[in-house]
Amino acid sequence: MYALRSLSKLVWGANEGAETFKLASGVLYEERPGAKVARKCIYKDSELCIRKTSTSYQYQLVAIRALEEGEDLSDSLDDERSFLIGIELKFTPTTFEGAHGFRWNDVGESTYEFIADESVTKSVREAFAMAVARCAWERKHRREYTEADAGEVKEIMDRAEDEELERLLDSVKLDDADIEAAVGPMSPVKSRP
């Protein structure tokens, strides 16, 4: 409980523009359906953080490219990607080749994945996911998340996970041959006289 209170002070007590909660190391990917390369590595070394905006009850999810040794911030114009946190982001946990991270939708057709470094523990990932859900709740209800009960905030996380599962199931196309290969030939159902 103490850890959650400390986390709350970090995220919601911060000034505008401050990075309030950070996953320090990971890889950012972009997935674009129909593109020549469906999955593209955007930043091979990056951080993922929550940033408070100047508008009340609004936060950004920000992926920041880590600078290489000797590189200056002014050397690159494309060093961060930011996304307004809301329910439509559909922020969910994911895994890729055994590594854990998060997946979310952009306003366009792109989907992003941040695959955390193995040093980022499960408890930190869970706390980060809860912080994003609280930010989404605040944006939706235009009130402090402390006014919500735990079920309301968890509902945001569950709905995003349910929609992700539904999307995955919709992407699987099975025909009769696939079903027969999995369970064997199906005999016709005989009706009773």
Side-chain angles (χ1 to χ4, degrees), residues 49-51 57-61 83-89 131-133 135-136 139:
C49 69
I50 297 171
R51 183 184 292 163
Y57 310 112
Q58 292 195 11
Y59 301 85
Q60 291 178 320
L61 182 66
F83 311 88
L84 186 60
I85 297 176
I87 294 171
E88 61 282 349
L89 204 62
V132 170
C135 292
R139 181 167 180 239

Side-chain angles (χ1 to χ4, degrees), residues 4 7 15 31 39 52 57-58 62 64 67 76 80 109 115 124 133 139 154 163 190:
L4 287 176
L7 173 67
N15 295 327
E31 291 183 6
R39 182 183 179 88
K52 194 171 189 174
Y57 310 112
Q58 292 195 11
V62 183
I64 304 167
L67 296 176
S76 176
E80 76 175 43
E109 292 185 16
I115 303 301
V124 170
R139 181 167 180 239
K154 186 163 178 1
E163 289 175 2
K190 295 179 181 177

Side-chain angles (χ1 to χ4, degrees), residues 29-33 61 82-92 102-114 132 139 159-161 163-164 167:
Y29 295 96
E30 179 182 16
E31 291 183 6
R32 300 180 80 184
L61 182 66
S82 60
F83 311 88
L84 186 60
I85 297 176
I87 294 171
E88 61 282 349
L89 204 62
K90 297 179 183 167
F91 189 82
T92 58
F102 299 102
R103 177 182 190 91
W104 65 92
N105 295 332
D106 190 12
V107 180
E109 292 185 16
S110 294
T111 299
Y112 288 86
E113 281 186 348
F114 178 84
V132 170
R139 181 167 180 239
R159 183 177 351 151
E161 288 175 9
E163 289 175 2
E164 177 66 11
R167 183 190 68 75

Side-chain angles (χ1 to χ4, degrees), residues 64-76:
I64 304 167
R65 183 177 66 84
L67 296 176
E68 296 179 23
E69 194 171 321
E71 187 178 16
D72 188 4
L73 244 168
S74 61
D75 291 346
S76 176

Side-chain angles (χ1 to χ4, degrees), residues 149-164:
D149 63 48
E152 288 178 306
V153 175
K154 186 163 178 1
E155 183 181 316
I156 289 172
M157 294 172 71
D158 291 346
R159 183 177 351 151
E161 288 175 9
D162 289 346
E163 289 175 2
E164 177 66 11

Side-chain angles (χ1 to χ4, degrees), residues 13-56:
N15 295 327
E16 167 222 328
E19 295 170 4
T20 56
F21 191 154
K22 184 187 306 188
L23 298 179
S25 183
V27 181
L28 180 67
Y29 295 96
E30 179 182 16
E31 291 183 6
R32 300 180 80 184
K36 285 183 181 180
V37 178
R39 182 183 179 88
K40 178 180 170 186
C41 179
I42 304 297
Y43 305 140
K44 67 180 179 181
D45 188 14
S46 62
E47 300 175 343
L48 188 65
C49 69
I50 297 171
R51 183 184 292 163
K52 194 171 189 174
T53 70
S54 60
T55 305
S56 298

